[in-house]
PDB file of all heavy atoms in Angstrom:
ATOM      1  N   PRO A 104    -160.724 -36.732 -32.269  1.00 89.00           N
ATOM      2  CA  PRO A 104    -160.536 -36.015 -30.997  1.00 89.00           C
ATOM      3  C   PRO A 104    -159.055 -35.692 -30.823  1.00 89.00           C
ATOM      4  O   PRO A 104    -158.176 -36.470 -31.177  1.00 89.00           O
ATOM      5  CB  PRO A 104    -161.030 -37.018 -29.942  1.00 89.00           C
ATOM      6  CG  PRO A 104    -160.997 -38.374 -30.623  1.00 89.00           C
ATOM      7  CD  PRO A 104    -161.161 -38.125 -32.116  1.00 89.00           C
ATOM      8  N   LEU A 105    -158.807 -34.523 -30.264  1.00 93.00           N
ATOM      9  CA  LEU A 105    -157.438 -34.091 -30.046  1.00 93.00           C
ATOM     10  C   LEU A 105    -157.081 -34.326 -28.566  1.00 93.00           C
ATOM     11  O   LEU A 105    -157.857 -33.976 -27.685  1.00 93.00           O
ATOM     12  CB  LEU A 105    -157.245 -32.624 -30.407  1.00 93.00           C
ATOM     13  CG  LEU A 105    -157.489 -32.286 -31.877  1.00 93.00           C
ATOM     14  CD1 LEU A 105    -157.435 -30.776 -32.088  1.00 93.00           C
ATOM     15  CD2 LEU A 105    -156.456 -32.979 -32.777  1.00 93.00           C
ATOM     16  N   THR A 106    -155.907 -34.875 -28.329  1.00 94.00           N
ATOM     17  CA  THR A 106    -155.448 -35.102 -26.956  1.00 94.00           C
ATOM     18  C   THR A 106    -154.726 -33.845 -26.466  1.00 94.00           C
ATOM     19  O   THR A 106    -154.514 -32.900 -27.234  1.00 94.00           O
ATOM     20  CB  THR A 106    -154.431 -36.295 -26.914  1.00 94.00           C
ATOM     21  OG1 THR A 106    -153.255 -35.901 -27.682  1.00 94.00           O
ATOM     22  CG2 THR A 106    -155.018 -37.539 -27.550  1.00 94.00           C
ATOM     23  N   ALA A 107    -154.351 -33.859 -25.214  1.00 95.00           N
ATOM     24  CA  ALA A 107    -153.661 -32.710 -24.649  1.00 95.00           C
ATOM     25  C   ALA A 107    -152.337 -32.433 -25.372  1.00 95.00           C
ATOM     26  O   ALA A 107    -151.940 -31.273 -25.501  1.00 95.00           O
ATOM     27  CB  ALA A 107    -153.400 -32.961 -23.165  1.00 95.00           C
ATOM     28  N   LYS A 108    -151.684 -33.478 -25.875  1.00 96.00           N
ATOM     29  CA  LYS A 108    -150.410 -33.302 -26.614  1.00 96.00           C
ATOM     30  C   LYS A 108    -150.625 -32.506 -27.904  1.00 96.00           C
ATOM     31  O   LYS A 108    -149.715 -31.881 -28.420  1.00 96.00           O
ATOM     32  CB  LYS A 108    -149.791 -34.635 -26.942  1.00 96.00           C
ATOM     33  CG  LYS A 108    -149.263 -35.348 -25.711  1.00 96.00           C
ATOM     34  CD  LYS A 108    -147.863 -35.840 -26.004  1.00 96.00           C
ATOM     35  CE  LYS A 108    -147.291 -36.539 -24.795  1.00 96.00           C
ATOM     36  NZ  LYS A 108    -146.391 -35.711 -24.046  1.00 96.00           N
ATOM     37  N   ALA A 109    -151.853 -32.514 -28.434  1.00 96.00           N
ATOM     38  CA  ALA A 109    -152.156 -31.795 -29.666  1.00 96.00           C
ATOM     39  C   ALA A 109    -151.991 -30.281 -29.493  1.00 96.00           C
ATOM     40  O   ALA A 109    -151.857 -29.545 -30.478  1.00 96.00           O
ATOM     41  CB  ALA A 109    -153.571 -32.103 -30.156  1.00 96.00           C
ATOM     42  N   PHE A 110    -152.032 -29.822 -28.260  1.00 97.00           N
ATOM     43  CA  PHE A 110    -151.949 -28.376 -27.963  1.00 97.00           C
ATOM     44  C   PHE A 110    -150.627 -27.955 -27.348  1.00 97.00           C
ATOM     45  O   PHE A 110    -150.468 -26.857 -26.945  1.00 97.00           O
ATOM     46  CB  PHE A 110    -153.129 -27.944 -27.069  1.00 97.00           C
ATOM     47  CG  PHE A 110    -154.440 -28.399 -27.596  1.00 97.00           C
ATOM     48  CD1 PHE A 110    -155.216 -29.319 -26.910  1.00 97.00           C
ATOM     49  CD2 PHE A 110    -154.909 -27.947 -28.821  1.00 97.00           C
ATOM     50  CE1 PHE A 110    -156.428 -29.753 -27.396  1.00 97.00           C
ATOM     51  CE2 PHE A 110    -156.133 -28.372 -29.320  1.00 97.00           C
ATOM     52  CZ  PHE A 110    -156.913 -29.264 -28.607  1.00 97.00           C
ATOM     53  N   GLU A 111    -149.655 -28.930 -27.349  1.00 97.00           N
ATOM     54  CA  GLU A 111    -148.314 -28.627 -26.842  1.00 97.00           C
ATOM     55  C   GLU A 111    -147.400 -28.361 -28.028  1.00 97.00           C
ATOM     56  O   GLU A 111    -147.182 -29.217 -28.874  1.00 97.00           O
ATOM     57  CB  GLU A 111    -147.751 -29.829 -26.039  1.00 97.00           C
ATOM     58  CG  GLU A 111    -148.473 -30.074 -24.764  1.00 97.00           C
ATOM     59  CD  GLU A 111    -147.924 -31.310 -24.039  1.00 97.00           C
ATOM     60  OE1 GLU A 111    -146.728 -31.676 -24.263  1.00 97.00           O
ATOM     61  OE2 GLU A 111    -148.687 -31.926 -23.299  1.00 97.00           O
ATOM     62  N   LEU A 112    -146.889 -27.151 -28.090  1.00 97.00           N
ATOM     63  CA  LEU A 112    -146.005 -26.745 -29.178  1.00 97.00           C
ATOM     64  C   LEU A 112    -144.564 -27.184 -28.868  1.00 97.00           C
ATOM     65  O   LEU A 112    -144.056 -26.909 -27.778  1.00 97.00           O
ATOM     66  CB  LEU A 112    -146.084 -25.223 -29.299  1.00 97.00           C
ATOM     67  CG  LEU A 112    -145.454 -24.593 -30.513  1.00 97.00           C
ATOM     68  CD1 LEU A 112    -146.088 -25.061 -31.810  1.00 97.00           C
ATOM     69  CD2 LEU A 112    -145.621 -23.079 -30.398  1.00 97.00           C
ATOM     70  N   THR A 113    -143.945 -27.919 -29.743  1.00 97.00           N
ATOM     71  CA  THR A 113    -142.558 -28.342 -29.520  1.00 97.00           C
ATOM     72  C   THR A 113    -141.546 -27.435 -30.217  1.00 97.00           C
ATOM     73  O   THR A 113    -140.485 -27.207 -29.697  1.00 97.00           O
ATOM     74  CB  THR A 113    -142.306 -29.783 -29.962  1.00 97.00           C
ATOM     75  OG1 THR A 113    -142.574 -29.940 -31.337  1.00 97.00           O
ATOM     76  CG2 THR A 113    -143.183 -30.733 -29.136  1.00 97.00           C
ATOM     77  N   ARG A 114    -141.954 -26.870 -31.366  1.00 96.00           N
ATOM     78  CA  ARG A 114    -141.085 -25.893 -32.055  1.00 96.00           C
ATOM     79  C   ARG A 114    -141.855 -25.247 -33.201  1.00 96.00           C
ATOM     80  O   ARG A 114    -142.938 -25.693 -33.573  1.00 96.00           O
ATOM     81  CB  ARG A 114    -139.773 -26.494 -32.563  1.00 96.00           C
ATOM     82  CG  ARG A 114    -139.957 -27.515 -33.645  1.00 96.00           C
ATOM     83  CD  ARG A 114    -138.579 -28.189 -33.925  1.00 96.00           C
ATOM     84  NE  ARG A 114    -138.806 -29.311 -34.800  1.00 96.00           N
ATOM     85  CZ  ARG A 114    -138.193 -29.473 -35.949  1.00 96.00           C
ATOM     86  NH1 ARG A 114    -137.323 -28.592 -36.369  1.00 96.00           N
ATOM     87  NH2 ARG A 114    -138.451 -30.512 -36.688  1.00 96.00           N
ATOM     88  N   ILE A 115    -141.285 -24.183 -33.749  1.00 97.00           N
ATOM     89  CA  ILE A 115    -141.852 -23.480 -34.874  1.00 97.00           C
ATOM     90  C   ILE A 115    -140.774 -23.363 -35.932  1.00 97.00           C
ATOM     91  O   ILE A 115    -139.659 -22.896 -35.627  1.00 97.00           O
ATOM     92  CB  ILE A 115    -142.362 -22.098 -34.496  1.00 97.00           C
ATOM     93  CG1 ILE A 115    -143.504 -22.198 -33.485  1.00 97.00           C
ATOM     94  CG2 ILE A 115    -142.822 -21.311 -35.715  1.00 97.00           C
ATOM     95  CD1 ILE A 115    -144.003 -20.882 -32.979  1.00 97.00           C
ATOM     96  N   ILE A 116    -141.094 -23.750 -37.145  1.00 96.00           N
ATOM     97  CA  ILE A 116    -140.156 -23.633 -38.261  1.00 96.00           C
ATOM     98  C   ILE A 116    -140.632 -22.469 -39.134  1.00 96.00           C
ATOM     99  O   ILE A 116    -141.807 -22.380 -39.452  1.00 96.00           O
ATOM    100  CB  ILE A 116    -140.167 -24.949 -39.093  1.00 96.00           C
ATOM    101  CG1 ILE A 116    -139.749 -26.112 -38.211  1.00 96.00           C
ATOM    102  CG2 ILE A 116    -139.264 -24.832 -40.314  1.00 96.00           C
ATOM    103  CD1 ILE A 116    -140.022 -27.482 -38.821  1.00 96.00           C
ATOM    104  N   THR A 117    -139.689 -21.606 -39.533  1.00 95.00           N
ATOM    105  CA  THR A 117    -140.006 -20.537 -40.478  1.00 95.00           C
ATOM    106  C   THR A 117    -139.905 -21.125 -41.862  1.00 95.00           C
ATOM    107  O   THR A 117    -138.889 -21.774 -42.187  1.00 95.00           O
ATOM    108  CB  THR A 117    -139.096 -19.346 -40.289  1.00 95.00           C
ATOM    109  OG1 THR A 117    -139.225 -18.848 -38.956  1.00 95.00           O
ATOM    110  CG2 THR A 117    -139.434 -18.226 -41.232  1.00 95.00           C
ATOM    111  N   VAL A 118    -140.915 -20.902 -42.691  1.00 96.00           N
ATOM    112  CA  VAL A 118    -140.932 -21.414 -44.056  1.00 96.00           C
ATOM    113  C   VAL A 118    -140.748 -20.210 -45.010  1.00 96.00           C
ATOM    114  O   VAL A 118    -141.657 -19.388 -45.136  1.00 96.00           O
ATOM    115  CB  VAL A 118    -142.247 -22.156 -44.357  1.00 96.00           C
ATOM    116  CG1 VAL A 118    -142.254 -22.678 -45.803  1.00 96.00           C
ATOM    117  CG2 VAL A 118    -142.448 -23.288 -43.361  1.00 96.00           C
ATOM    118  N   GLY A 119    -139.580 -20.177 -45.664  1.00 93.00           N
ATOM    119  CA  GLY A 119    -139.316 -19.068 -46.567  1.00 93.00           C
ATOM    120  C   GLY A 119    -139.528 -17.752 -45.832  1.00 93.00           C
ATOM    121  O   GLY A 119    -139.263 -17.593 -44.655  1.00 93.00           O
ATOM    122  N   GLY A 120    -140.056 -16.786 -46.554  1.00 93.00           N
ATOM    123  CA  GLY A 120    -140.332 -15.481 -45.955  1.00 93.00           C
ATOM    124  C   GLY A 120    -141.830 -15.220 -45.897  1.00 93.00           C
ATOM    125  O   GLY A 120    -142.246 -14.098 -45.933  1.00 93.00           O
ATOM    126  N   TYR A 121    -142.607 -16.346 -45.756  1.00 96.00           N
ATOM    127  CA  TYR A 121    -144.043 -16.140 -45.883  1.00 96.00           C
ATOM    128  C   TYR A 121    -144.884 -16.943 -44.864  1.00 96.00           C
ATOM    129  O   TYR A 121    -146.072 -16.688 -44.746  1.00 96.00           O
ATOM    130  CB  TYR A 121    -144.532 -16.519 -47.271  1.00 96.00           C
ATOM    131  CG  TYR A 121    -144.453 -17.982 -47.594  1.00 96.00           C
ATOM    132  CD1 TYR A 121    -145.589 -18.776 -47.432  1.00 96.00           C
ATOM    133  CD2 TYR A 121    -143.298 -18.564 -48.055  1.00 96.00           C
ATOM    134  CE1 TYR A 121    -145.516 -20.155 -47.726  1.00 96.00           C
ATOM    135  CE2 TYR A 121    -143.245 -19.898 -48.352  1.00 96.00           C
ATOM    136  CZ  TYR A 121    -144.352 -20.674 -48.167  1.00 96.00           C
ATOM    137  OH  TYR A 121    -144.292 -22.047 -48.451  1.00 96.00           O
ATOM    138  N   ALA A 122    -144.320 -17.894 -44.117  1.00 97.00           N
ATOM    139  CA  ALA A 122    -145.132 -18.715 -43.261  1.00 97.00           C
ATOM    140  C   ALA A 122    -144.349 -19.294 -42.091  1.00 97.00           C
ATOM    141  O   ALA A 122    -143.137 -19.306 -42.074  1.00 97.00           O
ATOM    142  CB  ALA A 122    -145.758 -19.886 -44.077  1.00 97.00           C
ATOM    143  N   ILE A 123    -145.114 -19.851 -41.146  1.00 97.00           N
ATOM    144  CA  ILE A 123    -144.548 -20.639 -40.069  1.00 97.00           C
ATOM    145  C   ILE A 123    -145.177 -22.035 -40.114  1.00 97.00           C
ATOM    146  O   ILE A 123    -146.280 -22.226 -40.625  1.00 97.00           O
ATOM    147  CB  ILE A 123    -144.763 -20.047 -38.676  1.00 97.00           C
ATOM    148  CG1 ILE A 123    -146.231 -19.951 -38.324  1.00 97.00           C
ATOM    149  CG2 ILE A 123    -144.045 -18.702 -38.545  1.00 97.00           C
ATOM    150  CD1 ILE A 123    -146.514 -19.702 -36.849  1.00 97.00           C
ATOM    151  N   GLN A 124    -144.457 -23.005 -39.587  1.00 98.00           N
ATOM    152  CA  GLN A 124    -144.914 -24.384 -39.530  1.00 98.00           C
ATOM    153  C   GLN A 124    -144.766 -24.887 -38.070  1.00 98.00           C
ATOM    154  O   GLN A 124    -143.686 -25.258 -37.686  1.00 98.00           O
ATOM    155  CB  GLN A 124    -144.117 -25.255 -40.491  1.00 98.00           C
ATOM    156  CG  GLN A 124    -144.540 -26.686 -40.518  1.00 98.00           C
ATOM    157  CD  GLN A 124    -143.722 -27.494 -41.505  1.00 98.00           C
ATOM    158  OE1 GLN A 124    -142.683 -27.035 -42.029  1.00 98.00           O
ATOM    159  NE2 GLN A 124    -144.159 -28.687 -41.790  1.00 98.00           N
ATOM    160  N   PRO A 125    -145.845 -24.862 -37.317  1.00 98.00           N
ATOM    161  CA  PRO A 125    -145.770 -25.362 -35.953  1.00 98.00           C
ATOM    162  C   PRO A 125    -145.583 -26.885 -35.912  1.00 98.00           C
ATOM    163  O   PRO A 125    -146.156 -27.587 -36.764  1.00 98.00           O
ATOM    164  CB  PRO A 125    -147.089 -24.984 -35.330  1.00 98.00           C
ATOM    165  CG  PRO A 125    -147.715 -23.975 -36.229  1.00 98.00           C
ATOM    166  CD  PRO A 125    -147.166 -24.279 -37.586  1.00 98.00           C
ATOM    167  N   VAL A 126    -144.809 -27.365 -34.976  1.00 98.00           N
ATOM    168  CA  VAL A 126    -144.641 -28.797 -34.729  1.00 98.00           C
ATOM    169  C   VAL A 126    -145.233 -29.044 -33.366  1.00 98.00           C
ATOM    170  O   VAL A 126    -144.795 -28.444 -32.367  1.00 98.00           O
ATOM    171  CB  VAL A 126    -143.163 -29.201 -34.821  1.00 98.00           C
ATOM    172  CG1 VAL A 126    -143.020 -30.672 -34.503  1.00 98.00           C
ATOM    173  CG2 VAL A 126    -142.565 -28.857 -36.167  1.00 98.00           C
ATOM    174  N   TRP A 127    -146.234 -29.933 -33.325  1.00 98.00           N
ATOM    175  CA  TRP A 127    -146.945 -30.238 -32.123  1.00 98.00           C
ATOM    176  C   TRP A 127    -146.468 -31.508 -31.482  1.00 98.00           C
ATOM    177  O   TRP A 127    -145.943 -32.393 -32.152  1.00 98.00           O
ATOM    178  CB  TRP A 127    -148.455 -30.300 -32.422  1.00 98.00           C
ATOM    179  CG  TRP A 127    -148.976 -29.057 -33.044  1.00 98.00           C
ATOM    180  CD1 TRP A 127    -149.138 -28.799 -34.357  1.00 98.00           C
ATOM    181  CD2 TRP A 127    -149.335 -27.831 -32.385  1.00 98.00           C
ATOM    182  NE1 TRP A 127    -149.599 -27.529 -34.577  1.00 98.00           N
ATOM    183  CE2 TRP A 127    -149.727 -26.924 -33.350  1.00 98.00           C
ATOM    184  CE3 TRP A 127    -149.374 -27.441 -31.036  1.00 98.00           C
ATOM    185  CZ2 TRP A 127    -150.168 -25.616 -33.035  1.00 98.00           C
ATOM    186  CZ3 TRP A 127    -149.828 -26.181 -30.733  1.00 98.00           C
ATOM    187  CH2 TRP A 127    -150.201 -25.265 -31.736  1.00 98.00           C
ATOM    188  N   ALA A 128    -146.677 -31.638 -30.163  1.00 97.00           N
ATOM    189  CA  ALA A 128    -146.192 -32.803 -29.393  1.00 97.00           C
ATOM    190  C   ALA A 128    -146.790 -34.101 -29.814  1.00 97.00           C
ATOM    191  O   ALA A 128    -146.227 -35.179 -29.568  1.00 97.00           O
ATOM    192  CB  ALA A 128    -146.360 -32.560 -27.903  1.00 97.00           C
TER     193      ALA A 128
END
């Protein structure tokens, strides 16, 4: 089960020139 914190975005990291990596609370 995912808690409310699972849907809180704390930051986004750009990975190379091809992807993003979201960091969740």
Side-chain angles (χ1 to χ4, degrees):
L105 297 174
T106 66
K108 291 229 179 258
F110 308 115
E111 292 178 26
L112 190 61
T113 60
R114 66 187 170 125
I115 296 175
I116 301 166
T117 301
V118 179
Y121 70 94
I123 64 165
Q124 181 179 11
V126 177
W127 302 97

